[in-house]
Amino acid sequence: MTLDAEDKLLETVLQEYKILTEYERLQSEDLGGVYVTPSYDNPFLWFGVIFVRDGVYKGGVFRFTVSLPNRFPNDSAVPVVTFQSEVFHPLISPTDGVLNLADTFPRWRTGENYIWQVLKYVQFVFQSAEDHTIHAESVANNEAHELMHENRPEFVRRVEHCVEDSQSKLYDVPPVPDRNYICFDRFNPDVHGPVLESMKQNKVPEVTTPPSSGLSWVRKGLYQPLTK
């Protein structure tokens, strides 16, 4: 291996270590209802889902990806948050699902900005959508923005439709064959029942043969993820 190749390998290892550190940092932050995991095949791609708990989007279950720039975090380029289904929101493009982060992250500042902050912002724009002042240049969906301010009943109707649509897609087959894609099973008493009881008693269950998609499920009508 040449010296240049060794330097390149070391740079790659250090970069992936920094990304792993970003992921570990999430464990200590208050991100209730937001779940993310790096792709099994690509550390620069994270899969996420948010279960909205408050606000006009309450009950929504929106899947998204976080794409990290090639030189992350040593770059001013901001990560890209893309929603996987149509979301009627002033800050989310109706054409490609990209969330406009410019209001809060005009550029990435290494050592000051972290992925958990981006996820916290995702949580905020859903749970406090109508309390958030959006600058004109940051509007990604003009129709949603206009309805929010000029015809709230119609805005709420469109949002409710969006929320219902997201719930109907909760158990859809993953669009990509990635082992770390976040999936949810329908509640199965035989498989999940013992886990639920152990969670109520704050005990760790003994599982001899876990299902292939893990012990994560969502009860019908609740849209509250239960995992162990």
Side-chain angles (χ1 to χ4, degrees), residues 47-48 62-65 82-87 97 169 175 181:
F47 300 114
F62 304 111
R63 295 183 181 278
F64 61 90
T65 59
T82 306
F83 285 85
Q84 304 304 292
S85 59
E86 184 175 350
V87 182
K169 297 177 179 178
Y181 189 84

Side-chain angles (χ1 to χ4, degrees), residues 111 170 177 192 210:
L170 182 60
H192 304 121

Side-chain angles (χ1 to χ4, degrees), residues 20-71:
L20 177 61
T21 301
E22 285 269 3
Y23 184 68
E24 292 180 341
R25 188 186 296 270
L26 300 179
Q27 313 307 315
S28 60
E29 302 300 334
D30 180 16
L31 295 169
V34 181
Y35 303 85
V36 294
T37 182
S39 162
Y40 181 81
D41 300 314
N42 179 7
F44 294 89
L45 176 65
W46 293 16
F47 300 114
V49 59
I50 176 171
F51 288 74
V52 185
R53 297 176 174 176
D54 297 294
V56 67
Y57 291 88
K58 183 178 180 179
V61 186
F62 304 111
R63 295 183 181 278
F64 61 90
T65 59
V66 179
S67 300
L68 307 182
N70 291 334
R71 298 187 63 250

Side-chain angles (χ1 to χ4, degrees), residues 119-198:
L119 299 177
K120 193 72 175 178
Y121 184 67
V122 171
Q123 184 186 59
F124 172 77
V125 299
F126 280 111
Q127 297 185 169
S128 304
E130 296 178 288
D131 300 325
H132 179 43
T133 301
I134 303 173
H135 296 115
E137 59 272 18
S138 297
V139 173
N141 186 326
N142 289 317
E143 182 183 14
H145 187 253
E146 291 175 2
L147 288 178
M148 175 185 282
H149 295 285
E150 299 176 10
N151 189 345
R152 189 178 185 280
E154 178 61 15
F155 173 74
V156 172
R157 187 189 70 80
R158 295 285 295 276
V159 169
E160 290 176 345
H161 175 75
C162 171
V163 167
E164 292 172 359
D165 183 60
S166 74
Q167 294 172 351
S168 70
K169 297 177 179 178
L170 182 60
Y171 305 106
D172 283 0
V173 175
V176 292
D178 193 292
R179 289 174 56 181
N180 285 355
Y181 189 84
I182 301 175
C183 299
F184 295 98
D185 293 333
R186 297 181 186 277
F187 184 80
N188 183 329
D190 294 332
V191 175
H192 304 121
V195 182
L196 178 59
E197 289 304 315
S198 68

